[in-house]
Amino acid sequence: MKSRTRFETEIAEFVWNSKYRYRPEKEPAEADITGSWRRVADALSETEPDARRKEKWKGEFYRILEEFKFLPAGRILAGAGTAHAVTLFNCFVMGRLAPSISEVFEGLREGAVTLQQGGGVGYDFSTLWPSGTIPKGSTHPAKGVVEYLKLWDAMSAAIHSTKRKSGAMMATLRCDHPDVDKFVKAKQETDLLTNFNLSVMITDEFMEA
């Protein structure tokens, strides 16, 4: 029986061609999806301690991938076995954002580095100052959580301005945060927070109410 190597839909082939097909600088691009399967299988087997085991597991990995039986995460399919210095993990739950300007911008820096390596980032913004409150050590009222989200959104847009992969970020906010109304309505403006998915974290008390 002939191995299935053709995409069943045009959109599937378009996604592979635009996001996951490897195009080395001085070599031909992968001819078809089997080239991607071989690249990934070879890269995953590199950790084996000797050539015999490497060949064994390269074959095992290829058999799992062929005929579309298993589809690895996007960062693996795009990055494994390439010359790109990228992560093979799709998503990163980032550290807690302490209510401090220096800590907020440290979180922004960490997010920028992670996005640059191809990973997606997720933050809980519930610790940040609600709109109108006076942060400790400041004389100016806080602009609120949505204004800080704009910093991350602009950073992601700048990093991905010349890449085929757009930024992938998740922002969460507790349902009892004073800015939650502005948070859930923020994306009603179609050009605002375009690199974010937004989620409200619901408490047991909220559900019971």
Side-chain angles (χ1 to χ4, degrees):
M1 182 177 176
K2 189 175 182 181
S3 177
R4 182 165 68 93
T5 61
R6 292 186 178 276
F7 294 94
E8 293 187 351
T9 64
E10 290 184 6
I11 188 63
E13 184 170 10
F14 172 80
V15 171
W16 168 74
N17 186 55
S18 60
K19 290 183 176 291
Y20 304 115
R21 187 180 189 183
Y22 184 39
R23 296 174 172 83
E25 288 188 6
K26 297 181 180 179
E27 298 176 28
E30 290 171 338
D32 55 33
I33 187 63
T34 62
S36 298
W37 293 337
R38 290 192 184 90
R39 167 174 55 82
V40 172
D42 189 55
L44 296 181
S45 66
E46 282 294 332
T47 59
E48 294 301 323
D50 57 66
R52 183 169 168 271
R53 285 183 59 84
K54 181 178 182 298
E55 285 302 311
K56 173 185 182 296
W57 284 106
K58 182 166 66 172
E60 291 291 333
F61 289 139
Y62 185 85
R63 279 188 285 278
I64 291 172
L65 294 167
E66 74 173 334
E67 296 188 347
F68 305 92
K69 291 191 293 289
F70 177 79
L71 185 66
R75 296 304 88 209
I76 296 172
L77 194 58
T82 71
H84 307 314
V86 294
T87 180
L88 300 187
F89 291 93
N90 269 32
C91 307
F92 292 80
V93 178
M94 307 303 285
R96 182 176 182 271
L97 289 172
S100 155
I101 287 295
S102 62
E103 293 293 332
V104 167
F105 277 88
E106 176 60 19
L108 183 68
R109 184 196 68 80
E110 290 178 349
V113 172
T114 306
L115 286 171
Q116 188 179 45
Q117 297 299 309
V121 297
Y123 292 89
D124 177 20
F125 288 85
S126 302
T127 55
L128 298 191
W129 311 276
S131 177
T133 60
I134 307 294
K136 184 178 179 180
S138 176
T139 58
H140 303 287
K143 294 288 188 179
V145 168
V146 172
E147 293 302 315
Y148 284 101
L149 294 181
K150 291 177 183 178
L151 292 175
W152 264 262
D153 202 56
M155 172 272 289
S156 178
I159 286 177
H160 293 96
S161 61
T162 58
K163 293 188 176 183
R164 291 179 295 169
K165 180 183 180 293
S166 59
M169 299 190 295
M170 166 68 78
T172 64
L173 194 70
R174 283 178 58 97
C175 62
D176 52 5
H177 191 285
D179 284 355
V180 70
D181 284 347
K182 294 179 181 178
F183 181 79
V184 299
K185 295 175 181 177
K187 295 191 74 166
Q188 290 179 0
E189 297 181 40
T190 56
D191 60 345
L192 187 63
L193 307 183
T194 56
N195 294 291
F196 265 115
N197 288 325
L198 306 183
S199 292
V200 176
M201 296 191 295
I202 304 299
T203 62
D204 289 341
E205 291 78 12
F206 183 95
M207 293 303 295
E208 290 168 4

PDB file of all heavy atoms in Angstrom, residues 150-174:
ATOM      1  N   LYS A 150      -1.117  46.687  26.716  1.00  0.00           N
ATOM      2  CA  LYS A 150      -0.692  47.356  25.484  1.00  0.00           C
ATOM      3  C   LYS A 150       0.828  47.337  25.329  1.00  0.00           C
ATOM      4  O   LYS A 150       1.346  47.272  24.206  1.00  0.00           O
ATOM      5  CB  LYS A 150      -1.201  48.798  25.467  1.00  0.00           C
ATOM      6  CG  LYS A 150      -2.712  48.929  25.325  1.00  0.00           C
ATOM      7  CD  LYS A 150      -3.130  50.392  25.383  1.00  0.00           C
ATOM      8  CE  LYS A 150      -4.642  50.557  25.320  1.00  0.00           C
ATOM      9  NZ  LYS A 150      -5.038  51.989  25.422  1.00  0.00           N
ATOM     10  N   LEU A 151       1.557  47.387  26.453  1.00  0.00           N
ATOM     11  CA  LEU A 151       3.019  47.307  26.395  1.00  0.00           C
ATOM     12  C   LEU A 151       3.452  45.963  25.813  1.00  0.00           C
ATOM     13  O   LEU A 151       4.299  45.893  24.925  1.00  0.00           O
ATOM     14  CB  LEU A 151       3.628  47.482  27.781  1.00  0.00           C
ATOM     15  CG  LEU A 151       3.510  48.849  28.446  1.00  0.00           C
ATOM     16  CD1 LEU A 151       4.075  48.787  29.871  1.00  0.00           C
ATOM     17  CD2 LEU A 151       4.271  49.902  27.642  1.00  0.00           C
ATOM     18  N   TRP A 152       2.854  44.886  26.329  1.00  0.00           N
ATOM     19  CA  TRP A 152       3.183  43.547  25.830  1.00  0.00           C
ATOM     20  C   TRP A 152       2.782  43.403  24.369  1.00  0.00           C
ATOM     21  O   TRP A 152       3.510  42.822  23.573  1.00  0.00           O
ATOM     22  CB  TRP A 152       2.466  42.493  26.680  1.00  0.00           C
ATOM     23  CG  TRP A 152       3.297  41.920  27.782  1.00  0.00           C
ATOM     24  CD1 TRP A 152       3.989  40.733  27.760  1.00  0.00           C
ATOM     25  CD2 TRP A 152       3.540  42.487  29.071  1.00  0.00           C
ATOM     26  NE1 TRP A 152       4.631  40.536  28.956  1.00  0.00           N
ATOM     27  CE2 TRP A 152       4.378  41.597  29.785  1.00  0.00           C
ATOM     28  CE3 TRP A 152       3.132  43.663  29.710  1.00  0.00           C
ATOM     29  CZ2 TRP A 152       4.807  41.832  31.084  1.00  0.00           C
ATOM     30  CZ3 TRP A 152       3.554  43.909  31.001  1.00  0.00           C
ATOM     31  CH2 TRP A 152       4.384  43.007  31.675  1.00  0.00           C
ATOM     32  N   ASP A 153       1.635  43.933  24.015  1.00  0.00           N
ATOM     33  CA  ASP A 153       1.150  43.815  22.642  1.00  0.00           C
ATOM     34  C   ASP A 153       2.091  44.528  21.669  1.00  0.00           C
ATOM     35  O   ASP A 153       2.411  43.996  20.600  1.00  0.00           O
ATOM     36  CB  ASP A 153      -0.256  44.408  22.547  1.00  0.00           C
ATOM     37  CG  ASP A 153      -1.036  43.866  21.361  1.00  0.00           C
ATOM     38  OD1 ASP A 153      -1.186  42.631  21.267  1.00  0.00           O
ATOM     39  OD2 ASP A 153      -1.497  44.670  20.541  1.00  0.00           O
ATOM     40  N   ALA A 154       2.547  45.710  22.050  1.00  0.00           N
ATOM     41  CA  ALA A 154       3.473  46.461  21.195  1.00  0.00           C
ATOM     42  C   ALA A 154       4.813  45.739  21.091  1.00  0.00           C
ATOM     43  O   ALA A 154       5.426  45.698  20.015  1.00  0.00           O
ATOM     44  CB  ALA A 154       3.664  47.869  21.748  1.00  0.00           C
ATOM     45  N   MET A 155       5.276  45.180  22.200  1.00  0.00           N
ATOM     46  CA  MET A 155       6.541  44.437  22.186  1.00  0.00           C
ATOM     47  C   MET A 155       6.445  43.242  21.240  1.00  0.00           C
ATOM     48  O   MET A 155       7.328  42.992  20.418  1.00  0.00           O
ATOM     49  CB  MET A 155       6.876  43.981  23.604  1.00  0.00           C
ATOM     50  CG  MET A 155       8.061  43.025  23.720  1.00  0.00           C
ATOM     51  SD  MET A 155       7.587  41.297  23.551  1.00  0.00           S
ATOM     52  CE  MET A 155       6.713  41.003  25.085  1.00  0.00           C
ATOM     53  N   SER A 156       5.356  42.485  21.334  1.00  0.00           N
ATOM     54  CA  SER A 156       5.179  41.324  20.472  1.00  0.00           C
ATOM     55  C   SER A 156       5.112  41.721  19.001  1.00  0.00           C
ATOM     56  O   SER A 156       5.710  41.075  18.138  1.00  0.00           O
ATOM     57  CB  SER A 156       3.903  40.577  20.865  1.00  0.00           C
ATOM     58  OG  SER A 156       3.681  39.476  20.028  1.00  0.00           O
ATOM     59  N   ALA A 157       4.405  42.801  18.709  1.00  0.00           N
ATOM     60  CA  ALA A 157       4.297  43.270  17.327  1.00  0.00           C
ATOM     61  C   ALA A 157       5.663  43.661  16.775  1.00  0.00           C
ATOM     62  O   ALA A 157       5.980  43.392  15.606  1.00  0.00           O
ATOM     63  CB  ALA A 157       3.333  44.450  17.252  1.00  0.00           C
ATOM     64  N   ALA A 158       6.490  44.293  17.616  1.00  0.00           N
ATOM     65  CA  ALA A 158       7.825  44.711  17.172  1.00  0.00           C
ATOM     66  C   ALA A 158       8.713  43.503  16.883  1.00  0.00           C
ATOM     67  O   ALA A 158       9.438  43.466  15.886  1.00  0.00           O
ATOM     68  CB  ALA A 158       8.473  45.596  18.226  1.00  0.00           C
ATOM     69  N   ILE A 159       8.640  42.488  17.740  1.00  0.00           N
ATOM     70  CA  ILE A 159       9.487  41.307  17.568  1.00  0.00           C
ATOM     71  C   ILE A 159       9.088  40.516  16.336  1.00  0.00           C
ATOM     72  O   ILE A 159       9.932  40.007  15.601  1.00  0.00           O
ATOM     73  CB  ILE A 159       9.411  40.415  18.828  1.00  0.00           C
ATOM     74  CG1 ILE A 159      10.214  41.064  19.949  1.00  0.00           C
ATOM     75  CG2 ILE A 159       9.934  39.005  18.547  1.00  0.00           C
ATOM     76  CD1 ILE A 159      10.141  40.313  21.258  1.00  0.00           C
ATOM     77  N   HIS A 160       7.804  40.415  16.067  1.00  0.00           N
ATOM     78  CA  HIS A 160       7.322  39.575  14.976  1.00  0.00           C
ATOM     79  C   HIS A 160       7.016  40.349  13.699  1.00  0.00           C
ATOM     80  O   HIS A 160       6.402  39.820  12.781  1.00  0.00           O
ATOM     81  CB  HIS A 160       6.072  38.808  15.418  1.00  0.00           C
ATOM     82  CG  HIS A 160       6.358  37.806  16.487  1.00  0.00           C
ATOM     83  ND1 HIS A 160       6.168  38.087  17.821  1.00  0.00           N
ATOM     84  CD2 HIS A 160       6.844  36.539  16.428  1.00  0.00           C
ATOM     85  CE1 HIS A 160       6.509  37.037  18.538  1.00  0.00           C
ATOM     86  NE2 HIS A 160       6.921  36.083  17.729  1.00  0.00           N
ATOM     87  N   SER A 161       7.474  41.588  13.615  1.00  0.00           N
ATOM     88  CA  SER A 161       7.149  42.420  12.452  1.00  0.00           C
ATOM     89  C   SER A 161       7.736  41.873  11.154  1.00  0.00           C
ATOM     90  O   SER A 161       7.207  42.129  10.077  1.00  0.00           O
ATOM     91  CB  SER A 161       7.626  43.858  12.674  1.00  0.00           C
ATOM     92  OG  SER A 161       9.035  43.893  12.846  1.00  0.00           O
ATOM     93  N   THR A 162       8.840  41.103  11.238  1.00  0.00           N
ATOM     94  CA  THR A 162       9.475  40.593  10.027  1.00  0.00           C
ATOM     95  C   THR A 162       9.452  39.073   9.970  1.00  0.00           C
ATOM     96  O   THR A 162      10.156  38.480   9.175  1.00  0.00           O
ATOM     97  CB  THR A 162      10.937  41.068   9.937  1.00  0.00           C
ATOM     98  OG1 THR A 162      11.651  40.617  11.105  1.00  0.00           O
ATOM     99  CG2 THR A 162      11.013  42.581   9.866  1.00  0.00           C
ATOM    100  N   LYS A 163       8.655  38.424  10.835  1.00  0.00           N
ATOM    101  CA  LYS A 163       8.611  36.964  10.855  1.00  0.00           C
ATOM    102  C   LYS A 163       7.251  36.465  10.380  1.00  0.00           C
ATOM    103  O   LYS A 163       6.250  37.164  10.446  1.00  0.00           O
ATOM    104  CB  LYS A 163       8.898  36.431  12.264  1.00  0.00           C
ATOM    105  CG  LYS A 163      10.341  36.704  12.719  1.00  0.00           C
ATOM    106  CD  LYS A 163      10.618  35.991  14.031  1.00  0.00           C
ATOM    107  CE  LYS A 163      12.072  36.177  14.453  1.00  0.00           C
ATOM    108  NZ  LYS A 163      12.379  35.439  15.693  1.00  0.00           N
ATOM    109  N   ARG A 164       7.240  35.207   9.937  1.00  0.00           N
ATOM    110  CA  ARG A 164       5.990  34.624   9.467  1.00  0.00           C
ATOM    111  C   ARG A 164       5.080  34.233  10.615  1.00  0.00           C
ATOM    112  O   ARG A 164       3.883  34.125  10.444  1.00  0.00           O
ATOM    113  CB  ARG A 164       6.295  33.396   8.605  1.00  0.00           C
ATOM    114  CG  ARG A 164       6.959  33.727   7.274  1.00  0.00           C
ATOM    115  CD  ARG A 164       7.255  32.473   6.502  1.00  0.00           C
ATOM    116  NE  ARG A 164       8.231  31.641   7.179  1.00  0.00           N
ATOM    117  CZ  ARG A 164       8.508  30.389   6.821  1.00  0.00           C
ATOM    118  NH1 ARG A 164       7.865  29.833   5.824  1.00  0.00           N
ATOM    119  NH2 ARG A 164       9.409  29.696   7.478  1.00  0.00           N
ATOM    120  N   LYS A 165       5.635  33.996  11.791  1.00  0.00           N
ATOM    121  CA  LYS A 165       4.824  33.589  12.936  1.00  0.00           C
ATOM    122  C   LYS A 165       4.455  34.817  13.762  1.00  0.00           C
ATOM    123  O   LYS A 165       5.313  35.589  14.149  1.00  0.00           O
ATOM    124  CB  LYS A 165       5.599  32.604  13.812  1.00  0.00           C
ATOM    125  CG  LYS A 165       4.813  32.138  15.034  1.00  0.00           C
ATOM    126  CD  LYS A 165       5.664  31.225  15.891  1.00  0.00           C
ATOM    127  CE  LYS A 165       4.885  30.752  17.110  1.00  0.00           C
ATOM    128  NZ  LYS A 165       4.572  31.836  18.045  1.00  0.00           N
ATOM    129  N   SER A 166       3.179  35.000  14.012  1.00  0.00           N
ATOM    130  CA  SER A 166       2.746  36.117  14.847  1.00  0.00           C
ATOM    131  C   SER A 166       2.943  35.771  16.310  1.00  0.00           C
ATOM    132  O   SER A 166       3.146  34.613  16.678  1.00  0.00           O
ATOM    133  CB  SER A 166       1.267  36.426  14.583  1.00  0.00           C
ATOM    134  OG  SER A 166       0.481  35.298  14.861  1.00  0.00           O
ATOM    135  N   GLY A 167       2.878  36.789  17.158  1.00  0.00           N
ATOM    136  CA  GLY A 167       3.044  36.570  18.583  1.00  0.00           C
ATOM    137  C   GLY A 167       1.895  35.770  19.158  1.00  0.00           C
ATOM    138  O   GLY A 167       0.762  35.838  18.672  1.00  0.00           O
ATOM    139  N   ALA A 168       2.184  34.987  20.201  1.00  0.00           N
ATOM    140  CA  ALA A 168       1.147  34.195  20.864  1.00  0.00           C
ATOM    141  C   ALA A 168       1.216  34.482  22.359  1.00  0.00           C
ATOM    142  O   ALA A 168       2.154  34.062  23.031  1.00  0.00           O
ATOM    143  CB  ALA A 168       1.357  32.708  20.587  1.00  0.00           C
ATOM    144  N   MET A 169       0.237  35.204  22.868  1.00  0.00           N
ATOM    145  CA  MET A 169       0.238  35.569  24.277  1.00  0.00           C
ATOM    146  C   MET A 169      -1.146  35.358  24.892  1.00  0.00           C
ATOM    147  O   MET A 169      -2.163  35.560  24.232  1.00  0.00           O
ATOM    148  CB  MET A 169       0.651  37.034  24.456  1.00  0.00           C
ATOM    149  CG  MET A 169       2.053  37.346  23.944  1.00  0.00           C
ATOM    150  SD  MET A 169       2.620  38.992  24.433  1.00  0.00           S
ATOM    151  CE  MET A 169       1.460  40.023  23.524  1.00  0.00           C
ATOM    152  N   MET A 170      -1.142  34.962  26.146  1.00  0.00           N
ATOM    153  CA  MET A 170      -2.368  34.792  26.916  1.00  0.00           C
ATOM    154  C   MET A 170      -2.294  35.707  28.138  1.00  0.00           C
ATOM    155  O   MET A 170      -1.278  35.727  28.844  1.00  0.00           O
ATOM    156  CB  MET A 170      -2.527  33.340  27.364  1.00  0.00           C
ATOM    157  CG  MET A 170      -3.587  33.114  28.437  1.00  0.00           C
ATOM    158  SD  MET A 170      -5.261  33.394  27.850  1.00  0.00           S
ATOM    159  CE  MET A 170      -5.549  31.864  26.962  1.00  0.00           C
ATOM    160  N   ALA A 171      -3.363  36.458  28.374  1.00  0.00           N
ATOM    161  CA  ALA A 171      -3.473  37.285  29.575  1.00  0.00           C
ATOM    162  C   ALA A 171      -4.681  36.827  30.365  1.00  0.00           C
ATOM    163  O   ALA A 171      -5.760  36.630  29.804  1.00  0.00           O
ATOM    164  CB  ALA A 171      -3.619  38.758  29.207  1.00  0.00           C
ATOM    165  N   THR A 172      -4.491  36.641  31.672  1.00  0.00           N
ATOM    166  CA  THR A 172      -5.612  36.292  32.530  1.00  0.00           C
ATOM    167  C   THR A 172      -5.804  37.379  33.581  1.00  0.00           C
ATOM    168  O   THR A 172      -4.861  38.084  33.947  1.00  0.00           O
ATOM    169  CB  THR A 172      -5.392  34.936  33.232  1.00  0.00           C
ATOM    170  OG1 THR A 172      -4.262  35.036  34.114  1.00  0.00           O
ATOM    171  CG2 THR A 172      -5.150  33.830  32.222  1.00  0.00           C
ATOM    172  N   LEU A 173      -7.041  37.489  34.060  1.00  0.00           N
ATOM    173  CA  LEU A 173      -7.377  38.451  35.114  1.00  0.00           C
ATOM    174  C   LEU A 173      -8.475  37.841  35.970  1.00  0.00           C
ATOM    175  O   LEU A 173      -9.442  37.275  35.457  1.00  0.00           O
ATOM    176  CB  LEU A 173      -7.850  39.774  34.512  1.00  0.00           C
ATOM    177  CG  LEU A 173      -7.909  40.969  35.470  1.00  0.00           C
ATOM    178  CD1 LEU A 173      -6.496  41.421  35.850  1.00  0.00           C
ATOM    179  CD2 LEU A 173      -8.683  42.124  34.851  1.00  0.00           C
ATOM    180  N   ARG A 174      -8.321  37.970  37.273  1.00  0.00           N
ATOM    181  CA  ARG A 174      -9.344  37.447  38.186  1.00  0.00           C
ATOM    182  C   ARG A 174     -10.660  38.202  38.008  1.00  0.00           C
ATOM    183  O   ARG A 174     -10.673  39.400  37.730  1.00  0.00           O
ATOM    184  CB  ARG A 174      -8.875  37.580  39.637  1.00  0.00           C
ATOM    185  CG  ARG A 174      -7.859  36.543  40.069  1.00  0.00           C
ATOM    186  CD  ARG A 174      -7.441  36.802  41.513  1.00  0.00           C
ATOM    187  NE  ARG A 174      -8.589  36.788  42.424  1.00  0.00           N
ATOM    188  CZ  ARG A 174      -8.974  35.752  43.148  1.00  0.00           C
ATOM    189  NH1 ARG A 174      -8.298  34.615  43.074  1.00  0.00           N
ATOM    190  NH2 ARG A 174     -10.024  35.830  43.950  1.00  0.00           N
TER     191      ARG A 174
END
